Structures are given as structure tokens and as C-alpha cells.
Amino acid sequence: MARTTEGNGAPVPQRLLAAATRLFAEQGYDRTSVQEIVEAAGVTKGALYHYFGSKEDLLQEVYARVLRLQQERLDAFAEADAPVEQRLRDAAADVVVTTIDNLDDASIFFRSMHHLSPEKNKQVRTERRRYHERFRALIEEGQRAGVFSDATPADLVVDYHFGSVHHLSTWYRPDGPLTPQQVADHLADLLLRALRP
């Protein structure tokens, strides 16, 4: 059985994901070999296949780990004891910050999603849909309460916000004029302004 840590003491799965993320971001998923990943992680192919069944599994996990984090945080915002406007604003800003904090992961995924098998693609889409549905439920809660306008269907509002989030990797630069939190605040404020009754 493969050890859970090797070399520098970091867990092997974490090292493999870090190496894969860096290489996929620099070279592209299709131009990165399994051998390059294991060499960069300082482990054997056996270790990779012990934790991940394939390079495709690594690609899926690159995105899935960010989505799990975002889902956990969204659930906490949605269940908080605060007015719906505050919960939605917090959730809308958080998805921007966590996407920017994991920009390589997000850009790799949107560039390389077509490499996933239909089954894995369906799994990822199901998880993403679950996230979007929880986000939409906050909008619908505010619309039912009269806090948000219902002139625009909640689904379209969700698509509007996440369209912005999914394109962050095409324009956001860490050395640019805005911090991740400033971008998040602007986009969250735009969303709330669009929902005003």
C-alpha cells in the first residue's frame, strides 16, 4: 500500500494535485503527461494510481475540491441567522473570492472540461447544479418576501452572476488595481442592485 506522505512530508494526494494544477495551468491538460505529474510531485506512478485512477480523475478533483469548499461556505451563508439580502450578498462575494483564490483550478477546469468522460462530466455538472440551486433558493426566498424584485426570473439572475464568476480567469490579474475582495464586493453589489424592487 502506498504511503500517505513521501519526501517533504506533505500528503501525497495534496502533492499530486498541486503538481497537476501547476502543470495543467502552464502546459494545458492534454499536453501534460502522467510522468511529468509524478516527477513534479516527487512520487511514483504507483502512488498516483493508488489515490487517483487516472489523469482524468486528477482533472475532476482539481475542480471538485474548489466546488466542495464553495458549497460548504454557501451552505453556511444560506443557513446563517441574517436577513436574506445579507446572506445573498455574502454568498455572492464569497464565490468570487474563492474563485480568485483558486484561479488556476477554475481556469483549468473551464478550459479542459471537455476532456472528461461523459460520466465524470455529468457528476461535475450535478454538483455544480446543486450549488447553483442553493444560490437560486436565496434569490427566490428574497423574491417571495418582496425584498428582491421578481421581474427577472431567479434562474436568469443566477446565470448573470455566475457568468461573471466563470470569466474571472480571462481578465483578473493579481497585480491589477483591485484586490479579490474589492472585485467580490463590486460584483455582489451589482447583483443586489439588479434585484432591487
Side-chain angles (χ1 to χ4, degrees), residues 1 7 10 18 24 26 31 37 40 47 80-81 86 96 105 107 118 123 125 164-165 178-179 181 189 191 195:
M1 186 167 149
F24 293 165
E26 289 173 1
R31 290 184 302 279
I37 294 167
D81 184 21
Q86 187 62 51
V96 173
D105 304 58
S107 63
Q123 289 171 1
R125 287 183 185 278
S164 301
V165 172
L178 298 175
T179 67
Q181 190 61 56
D189 288 344
L191 176 66
L195 284 166

Side-chain angles (χ1 to χ4, degrees), residues 4-18:
T4 54
T5 60
E6 290 186 12
N8 69 8
V12 172
Q14 185 180 336
R15 290 171 59 196
L16 285 163
L17 279 167

